[in-house]
Amino acid sequence: MGYQSEAQLEENLIKQLETQNFDRVEIPNEEELENNFRKELFEYNKEKLNNEPFTDKEFERIMVHIKGKSIFQSAMILRDKFILEREDGSEVYIEFLDTKNWDKNRFQVTNQTTVNGKYKNRYDVTILINGLPLVQIELKRRGIDLKEAFNQINRYRKHSYHGLYRYIQIFVISNGVDTKYFANSDKEILYSYTFFWSDKENNRISNLKEFTEIFLDTTFLAKVISRYMVTNETDKLLMVMRPYQIYAVEELLKIALETNNNGYIWHTTGSGKTLTSFKASQILSKEKDIKKVFFLVDRKDLDSQTISEFNKFEPDSVDTTDKTDKLIEQINDINKPLIVTTIQKMANAIKKSKISNKKDSENISKSSFEKSIKYADVIDQYKNEKVIFIIDECHRSQFGKMHKEINKHFTNAQYFGFTGTPRFYENRSKEDRVTADLFEKCLHTYLIKDAIKDGNVLGFSVEYIKTFDGGFDENDDEKVKSIDKEEVFMADERIKLVSENIIKIHNSKTRNKKYTAILTVQSIEMLIKYYKAFKNINHDLKIAGIYTFGANEDSEGKDEHSRDSLEKIINDYNTIFDTNYSTDTFSSYFADVSKKVKSGKIDILIVVNMFLTGFDSKKLNTLYVDKNLKYHDLLQAYSRTNRVEESTKPYGNIVCYRNLKKRTDEAIKLFSQTDSTDTVLMGDYEEYIRQWYKKLKNLKEIASTPNNVDKLETEEDKKKFIIAFRELTRVLTKLNTFIEFEFDEEKLGLSEQSYQDYRSKYYRIYEESKKENEKTSILSDIDFGIELMSSDKINVDYIMNLIRDIDLTDKNKRNNDIKNIITELNRADNEDLRLKIDLIKEFLNKVVPKLESDADIDYEYEKFENEKREEDIYNFSEKIGLNKYKVSEYISEYEYSGMIDKTKIRSDIKNDLKLKLLKAKEATKQVQNFIYEHIRKFA
């Protein structure tokens, strides 16, 4: 039996959807799409319209309202109502989607709709709800890489999804065996944001038939679009939740609405708990029987990042003040069913409200007593009402301490916790509590092993480095009691050796500073020692330190108060980054350090406990450890490094200068609920060497030498070479992070020069596939993995992120940011960036200084670039003598299809410029070169 073709796959899918209550319709083109939308929108709103179909003018009003909008704007319109003025003067609310009664919507499926314009495209399968195309499915036959379908959708998005296709909410890609889904967006969509579906136990459901049965069920699909998509208003972004997030919210809602029980969600660190917990809070706050939902976070977690995340999901939802009065105000506001606050502020409100009930109330001031009565009056309104408390990072002890007090005040309260590292008997709190003591039952789990399998977080590569010979096991506390551990670990010689080792290995761990690192140490005293040690070593790293100091700390035996030491560290920071912080402005210093670690401007941040929980940064890939960690503290710290980024970040690097092997294994096993660490911990150096030889053998079977690559004639053979070399490079990326790695021909069976020669051939095929494909090429949608080939930190993305971070609110800061970016540009060696340097410098020097403080820098840069693009085309057209519209047309054709029609260009040149054959050929080449360079410059 042969493989199943795309046409067969398509037909089988449509037949299955028909059995699932989708009506099949023929929609051959855009005109019919609009006609169908008119008919379906009327049928859906029939009762409101008194069975009176839309007149042409009325439908035109609707189309003016909904067409020509961005994808985000379209998503907002879809979820809103439209006041339609009818021709008789009456008004009626038109609804595009029933977001509550999901089965009341109308469902259709069509296929092979042709969209005509400059280019002709046929879309595989489209699902329409109430006449709008809300789900687009792209199919590839079995055996084809799923990423090819993804790349094809990206091409369609760029060139031909317009009109009503702007309303697409979800894309589905499948080759029959593997199926994934992802949200539409106005911005670039990364493959890492495509998701497999799974069942409640996190077993993957990738087969198209099973996926269709569950995910494309009419009611469930409408529910996902209505309830489990998030409109991020800050970033103007559409997001769709992952399966485990949806299951968790569903389970929590079931318990909250049908019982009075408590529960907790165990989702591993980095899996999107904030979104899951906040979405659950939002949905519960809209239930009429629930009077208030309190979302509680620990004060130390409510940094600028967390506030920003919450406000993206619900604008202005977080009160950033320390004033308890503001919280009482919110509780008293009946129009504010969802309140985000800190555990500490809630505890303070309850504590103050109790004063009025105390017998010794005459001992407090009159104003405090009156405030206490006010607090009590407000809080007592909800004493017997159903209220929900959702607690983020509920493994922390702070909530346990105030649980009893809340229970006394809110007799009908339910508690739901979210944690990545619950407390069990093995890691119980000092009060001997486990998570289940307060929250009863675990409602849903998504463990670190599940997240790694799904590609939602990375695994860890852990190396243990011995720093002294003590003749004892560091983990054996009994044997070490007689030894002064502090003296050994704090020895100047040891600190110096570890510091030198970190400097030595840092570039290999962070891919030449493309990524950043944290060094965590056991005490403030050790942090200061390390900071001084780094200052005495010759290096080019930007190193910062941060810790909280005690106002009345014991300074006996210390050279200086820890605040004075921090002041010196901050002064160095001010010199490096041209800032003006001090210990008096510690919160601003903290916020700036956080921002600079995320943007990759700080190479190593030294901490004791800060930044080891709740801090997310994709640019952070390495953790150096010189302190004892265990269970939840260990996994939380390690997890700072495992956020998914490009393929140049295959895992989080952990370098332990303590023997934490036993504790690492214990933590991984406990929080993976397994006896094995294999899924979470990556292989050792020898394992990757074995993989290298296997991939090298495969490569040499295709092309035994770099020169033999030139002998590959068919596109199929070239494709095999691309995949083989890409896979070899992926192994090399991992090998490069190991301390013992050297590119030694005897050890690797390949010289570094030969590798570079293969790489050059790889690039040549890549460039050819992008430039001169005169026919549809099988290489056009191949995942070349080009980011694997580059180790440049200073690339286009890096510079654009710096530009986005420019502080427009302060003239001096703005000018300083511009100066720093230009310095970075001047030392860049990234090929794509070099082409853009003059363009970016002009934007920085001429446009940015004139921007208002609230300007959208992305928008302004795009506007500027488009203007310069037009100017570039005009200048070239004038120089060569061709009509600028024709040059624009050549560029558009190349952007769309990857092809340059040299025959047409030569013909235009001969006819318009009246050149002879040789000169025409030369001018054609000039046009061709301009197109390549123009596209690379403005891509």
Side-chain angles (χ1 to χ4, degrees):
M1 181 181 169
Y3 60 77
Q4 187 180 35
S5 70
E6 284 173 30
Q8 287 171 316
L9 196 62
E10 193 174 296
E11 191 56 33
N12 289 346
L13 171 62
I14 292 169
K15 282 179 179 174
Q16 184 178 349
L17 289 170
E18 285 184 278
T19 67
Q20 293 179 195
N21 297 318
F22 285 86
D23 291 326
R24 184 171 188 172
V25 286
E26 295 293 328
I27 300 179
N29 51 47
E30 276 192 283
E31 186 184 345
E32 282 305 310
L33 180 70
E34 290 189 6
N35 290 339
N36 180 72
F37 171 56
R38 179 174 180 167
K39 179 174 71 70
E40 286 296 296
L41 190 65
F42 163 69
E43 290 294 337
Y44 173 62
N45 289 279
K46 206 171 187 175
E47 284 183 31
K48 297 175 190 173
L49 296 165
N50 293 323
N51 285 327
E52 288 288 331
F54 300 118
T55 65
D56 290 346
K57 280 188 179 177
E58 288 168 356
F59 186 64
E60 189 181 332
R61 284 172 194 152
I62 293 170
M63 293 303 283
V64 167
H65 174 67
I66 71 170
K67 280 186 80 172
K69 306 296 191 293
S70 69
I71 289 160
F72 182 78
Q73 289 168 333
S74 301
M76 300 301 283
I77 290 168
L78 174 69
R79 290 159 176 80
D80 204 357
K81 291 182 173 67
F82 171 59
I83 303 173
L84 173 66
E85 185 183 336
R86 306 217 70 174
E87 288 203 51
D88 62 7
S90 64
E91 290 184 344
V92 61
Y93 279 92
I94 296 296
E95 193 175 59
F96 300 104
L97 181 72
D98 194 328
T99 56
K100 292 178 181 174
N101 306 299
W102 306 302
D103 57 344
K104 296 288 173 67
N105 293 292
R106 296 172 62 83
F107 300 89
Q108 296 173 305
V109 60
T110 190
N111 68 313
Q112 295 299 313
T113 301
T114 301
V115 177
N116 282 311
K118 181 173 179 183
Y119 307 113
K120 191 173 182 178
N121 289 290
R122 277 204 185 96
Y123 304 146
D124 284 359
V125 178
T126 308
I127 286 176
L128 305 109
I129 300 181
N130 305 325
L132 283 171
L134 299 191
V135 180
Q136 186 64 38
I137 304 167
E138 185 63 36
L139 302 172
K140 292 290 177 189
R141 65 174 172 82
R142 277 169 166 74
I144 297 293
D145 185 356
L146 205 56
K147 200 162 183 183
E148 292 190 28
F150 174 77
N151 291 342
Q152 191 165 326
I153 277 178
N154 265 338
R155 286 211 321 278
Y156 287 166
R157 284 178 60 245
K158 187 174 181 182
H159 296 292
S160 62
Y161 282 138
H162 55 254
L164 295 184
Y165 285 101
R166 289 277 180 173
Y167 284 81
I168 294 172
Q169 303 294 288
I170 294 173
F171 290 109
V172 175
I173 51 176
S174 180
N175 58 12
V177 178
D178 287 322
T179 307
K180 298 183 90 173
Y181 70 100
F182 55 99
N184 197 3
S185 175
D186 289 298
K187 302 182 181 182
E188 180 189 7
I189 302 175
L190 300 176
Y191 191 66
S192 53
Y193 289 111
T194 64
F195 314 129
F196 285 106
W197 188 250
S198 63
D199 63 18
K200 281 184 186 176
E201 285 72 44
N202 304 309
N203 299 307
R204 185 176 292 174
I205 295 169
S206 58
N207 177 278
L208 179 59
K209 188 174 186 296
E210 290 178 74
F211 174 88
T212 302
E213 200 173 300
I214 299 164
F215 191 87
L216 299 181
D217 168 80
T218 51
T219 304
F220 187 73
L221 180 61
K223 184 201 278 192
V224 169
I225 292 170
S226 304
R227 176 182 272 184
Y228 295 120
M229 293 195 77
V230 179
T231 49
N232 175 337
E233 294 194 35
T234 305
D235 297 333
K236 300 288 182 278
L237 201 63
L238 198 57
M239 302 159 70
V240 63
M241 293 177 77
R242 304 173 193 204
Y244 57 88
Q245 294 174 312
I246 293 173
Y247 287 127
V249 174
E250 293 273 290
E251 287 300 307
L252 192 151
L253 293 177
K254 184 179 175 185
I255 298 297
L257 299 175
E258 296 177 13
T259 76
N260 291 315
N261 299 330
N262 305 324
Y264 70 95
I265 304 294
W266 174 10
H267 282 187
T268 193
T269 305
S271 61
K273 285 194 307 299
T274 302
L275 175 57
T276 312
S277 53
F278 204 71
K279 176 53 82 170
S281 307
Q282 275 185 322
I283 296 169
L284 287 170
S285 69
K286 290 168 184 170
E287 290 290 329
K288 61 178 182 180
D289 293 333
I290 296 170
K291 301 305 176 187
K292 287 284 179 188
V293 176
F294 296 98
F295 191 102
L296 301 185
V297 296
D298 195 309
R299 181 171 53 213
K300 67 180 180 181
D301 291 333
L302 200 59
D303 60 7
S304 54
Q305 174 188 344
T306 317
I307 292 166
S308 168
E309 285 299 309
F310 287 142
N311 285 334
K312 283 176 184 178
F313 308 142
E314 184 152 311
D316 304 319
S317 62
V318 185
D319 165 31
T320 55
T321 69
D322 290 327
K323 294 179 181 176
T324 309
D325 283 5
K326 182 71 176 173
L327 172 59
I328 294 296
E329 229 177 83
Q330 290 178 321
I331 295 173
N332 201 34
D333 185 351
I334 58 170
N335 295 316
K336 200 161 185 66
L338 172 59
I339 296 170
V340 183
T341 190
T342 64
I343 292 170
Q344 291 81 1
K345 203 188 290 188
M346 179 58 96
N348 198 35
I350 289 171
K351 181 182 174 185
K352 286 185 177 180
S353 72
K354 288 166 64 180
I355 294 173
S356 61
N357 299 321
K358 290 186 177 179
K359 291 178 182 177
D360 62 350
S361 57
E362 64 271 7
N363 296 329
I364 66 168
S365 69
K366 184 182 177 184
S367 62
S368 295
F369 183 67
E370 286 173 352
K371 185 175 279 190
S372 171
I373 291 173
K374 178 188 169 187
Y375 281 16
D377 286 347
V378 171
I379 291 176
D380 284 349
Q381 292 178 69
Y382 298 95
K383 188 174 180 66
N384 300 313
E385 297 284 6
K386 180 155 184 169
V387 295
I388 304 281
F389 286 90
I390 291 184
I391 298 90
D392 196 30
E393 302 295 353
C394 68
H395 61 275
R396 302 265 178 81
S397 57
Q398 282 86 340
F399 181 70
K401 291 171 186 172
M402 66 172 289
H403 182 246
K404 282 184 183 176
E405 297 301 326
I406 291 180
N407 250 345
K408 285 178 188 175
H409 264 77
F410 300 99
T411 58
N412 197 20
Q414 276 179 284
Y415 304 93
F416 296 99
F418 283 78
T419 178
T421 49
R423 288 192 182 266
F424 300 106
Y425 177 78
E426 295 90 333
N427 64 322
R428 60 195 181 277
S429 69
K430 289 175 185 175
E431 300 83 19
D432 272 349
R433 280 202 188 100
V434 298
T435 301
D437 289 342
L438 293 180
F439 295 97
E440 299 168 13
K441 184 184 175 186
C442 180
L443 304 180
H444 192 262
T445 62
Y446 186 70
L447 310 182
I448 188 167
K449 63 180 182 183
D450 302 315
I452 291 170
K453 179 192 73 178
D454 289 343
N456 290 327
V457 300
L458 304 172
F460 306 112
S461 174
V462 188
E463 294 177 82
Y464 306 95
I465 297 177
K466 196 172 185 181
T467 58
F468 57 81
D469 288 313
F472 61 86
D473 181 355
E474 292 174 37
N475 288 318
D476 193 334
D477 290 334
E478 291 302 314
K479 287 185 181 178
V480 182
K481 274 182 182 174
S482 59
I483 298 169
D484 187 346
K485 286 191 290 183
E486 191 74 12
E487 182 184 7
V488 173
F489 287 119
M490 291 287 287
D492 291 344
E493 187 182 353
R494 179 180 176 277
I495 298 286
K496 180 173 178 285
L497 283 170
V498 174
S499 302
E500 287 173 344
N501 182 258
I502 289 172
I503 297 296
K504 180 184 173 185
I505 68 175
H506 185 77
N507 275 356
S508 66
K509 292 292 171 193
T510 61
R511 204 167 170 85
N512 293 325
K513 297 193 287 184
K514 177 175 181 174
Y515 299 104
T516 60
I518 283 178
L519 164 60
T520 178
V521 300
Q522 72 184 33
S523 64
I524 292 173
E525 190 181 354
M526 182 180 269
L527 185 155
I528 295 164
K529 271 200 163 195
Y530 265 113
Y531 188 81
K532 289 177 178 176
F534 282 123
K535 286 192 76 172
N536 291 326
I537 301 170
N538 183 27
H539 61 80
D540 64 348
L541 301 180
K542 292 173 182 174
I543 297 176
I546 192 166
Y547 55 84
T548 51
F549 52 86
N552 302 306
E553 68 183 42
D554 182 8
S555 58
E556 187 179 335
K558 295 178 182 175
D559 294 335
E560 62 184 354
H561 192 283
S562 67
R563 178 169 185 172
D564 296 328
S565 300
L566 182 60
E567 200 72 63
K568 290 176 181 176
I569 291 171
I570 295 174
N571 283 337
D572 288 344
Y573 184 91
N574 289 335
T575 302
I576 294 168
F577 295 109
D578 200 13
T579 50
N580 189 29
Y581 301 111
S582 70
T583 53
D584 290 327
T585 56
F586 181 80
S587 60
S588 298
Y589 174 63
F590 171 85
D592 198 58
V593 167
S594 173
K595 189 176 175 182
K596 283 186 168 58
V597 173
K598 285 178 189 173
S599 60
K601 293 179 186 176
I602 292 174
D603 294 310
I604 301 174
L605 177 66
I606 315 174
V607 304
V608 180
N609 294 315
M610 296 179 85
F611 287 86
L612 297 184
T613 60
F615 177 70
D616 284 350
S617 170
K618 291 181 178 183
K619 286 291 177 190
L620 180 62
N621 84 327
T622 299
L623 179 72
Y624 303 113
V625 183
D626 193 10
K627 70 187 292 187
N628 288 329
L629 294 165
K630 60 182 181 179
Y631 291 123
H632 55 277
D633 288 334
L634 182 145
L635 191 62
Q636 287 281 350
Y638 282 17
S639 295
R640 296 316 101 210
T641 67
N642 74 343
R643 299 305 183 266
V644 174
E645 207 232 14
E646 295 176 358
S647 48
T648 47
K649 185 183 178 185
Y651 40 62
N653 293 311
I654 314 295
V655 183
C656 295
Y657 295 98
R658 308 260 175 137
N659 185 4
L660 296 180
K661 174 78 172 82
K662 184 182 173 189
R663 289 182 175 183
T664 297
D665 290 351
E666 285 172 347
I668 298 298
K669 288 175 183 177
L670 178 66
F671 295 116
S672 288
Q673 296 288 281
T674 178
D675 291 329
S676 169
T677 62
D678 290 349
T679 308
V680 178
L681 299 181
M682 300 300 100
D684 58 16
Y685 181 70
E686 293 305 320
E687 182 179 325
Y688 289 118
I689 285 290
R690 287 193 292 274
Q691 284 187 27
W692 167 268
Y693 273 108
K694 185 179 174 184
K695 303 296 183 188
L696 181 62
K697 180 173 179 283
N698 187 30
L699 175 69
K700 289 198 169 186
E701 283 174 357
I702 296 162
S704 57
T705 68
N707 286 337
N708 283 345
V709 176
D710 296 334
K711 297 176 183 176
L712 300 175
E713 294 179 0
T714 68
E715 287 197 336
E716 194 60 49
D717 287 340
K718 288 177 183 177
K719 179 178 177 179
K720 286 176 184 174
F721 166 71
I722 289 160
I723 293 168
F725 186 72
R726 183 187 71 198
E727 295 307 308
L728 183 78
T729 300
R730 281 190 170 141
V731 178
L732 181 62
T733 300
K734 293 172 182 176
L735 282 172
N736 262 318
T737 64
F738 286 90
I739 294 162
E740 58 264 57
F741 177 73
E742 285 179 32
F743 213 122
D744 186 316
E745 185 174 1
E746 284 187 28
K747 291 177 183 174
L748 297 180
L750 185 74
S751 70
E752 188 167 7
Q753 184 57 56
S754 291
Y755 173 80
Q756 294 297 341
D757 291 344
Y758 274 120
R759 184 177 176 224
S760 298
K761 302 294 183 185
Y762 181 96
Y763 268 122
R764 180 179 60 73
I765 296 174
Y766 170 74
E767 289 299 330
E768 283 175 2
S769 76
K770 297 300 172 195
K771 283 184 181 177
E772 294 191 71
N773 291 316
E774 298 297 338
K775 58 185 189 323
T776 303
S777 166
I778 66 169
L779 300 175
S780 61
D781 292 323
I782 290 294
D783 174 22
F784 278 82
I786 283 296
E787 70 270 17
L788 284 168
M789 304 300 140
S790 170
S791 59
D792 300 315
K793 177 186 175 182
I794 305 169
N795 55 23
V796 177
D797 285 343
Y798 173 75
I799 292 295
M800 290 311 297
N801 281 330
L802 293 184
I803 291 172
R804 288 183 190 105
D805 286 339
I806 290 174
D807 190 339
L808 296 174
T809 60
D810 183 297
K811 184 180 175 182
N812 291 331
K813 282 185 178 178
R814 181 199 69 203
N815 292 342
N816 187 53
D817 286 342
I818 290 171
K819 186 179 82 175
N820 289 337
I821 295 169
I822 289 173
T823 301
E824 294 281 336
L825 282 169
N826 289 338
R827 64 190 185 91
D829 59 2
N830 177 277
E831 190 182 353
D832 288 336
L833 181 57
R834 295 300 303 175
L835 287 165
K836 282 180 173 276
I837 282 180
D838 291 339
L839 191 71
I840 293 171
K841 281 183 179 177
E842 187 177 346
F843 176 73
L844 291 168
N845 290 323
K846 293 185 179 179
V847 179
V848 173
K850 296 176 184 175
L851 295 179
E852 298 293 330
S853 60
D854 60 348
D856 182 332
I857 287 187
D858 273 321
Y859 170 77
E860 295 295 341
Y861 181 78
E862 188 178 341
K863 190 171 96 175
F864 167 78
E865 194 177 72
N866 284 336
E867 288 169 2
K868 300 307 290 184
R869 187 172 190 172
E870 289 298 319
E871 189 181 306
D872 195 43
I873 292 169
Y874 174 78
N875 289 339
F876 176 75
S877 303
E878 287 291 299
K879 178 183 168 187
I880 201 165
L882 270 174
N883 183 298
K884 70 172 184 177
Y885 296 109
K886 285 189 176 179
V887 177
S888 291
E889 198 176 304
Y890 307 150
I891 290 167
S892 297
E893 177 65 39
Y894 178 64
E895 279 187 306
Y896 170 71
S897 65
M899 294 186 286
I900 292 177
D901 191 341
K902 287 184 279 190
T903 307
K904 186 178 188 313
I905 294 171
R906 198 177 295 125
S907 172
D908 288 345
I909 286 170
K910 282 175 72 177
N911 294 333
D912 296 359
L913 306 185
K914 311 298 182 190
L915 295 178
K916 291 183 179 177
L917 184 63
L918 200 60
K919 289 283 185 183
K921 197 172 180 182
E922 203 175 287
T924 304
K925 189 68 180 171
Q926 279 182 274
V927 174
Q928 205 174 331
N929 290 338
F930 171 74
I931 293 168
Y932 295 152
E933 192 174 317
H934 178 88
I935 292 297
R936 290 187 71 185
K937 185 177 179 181
F938 292 98

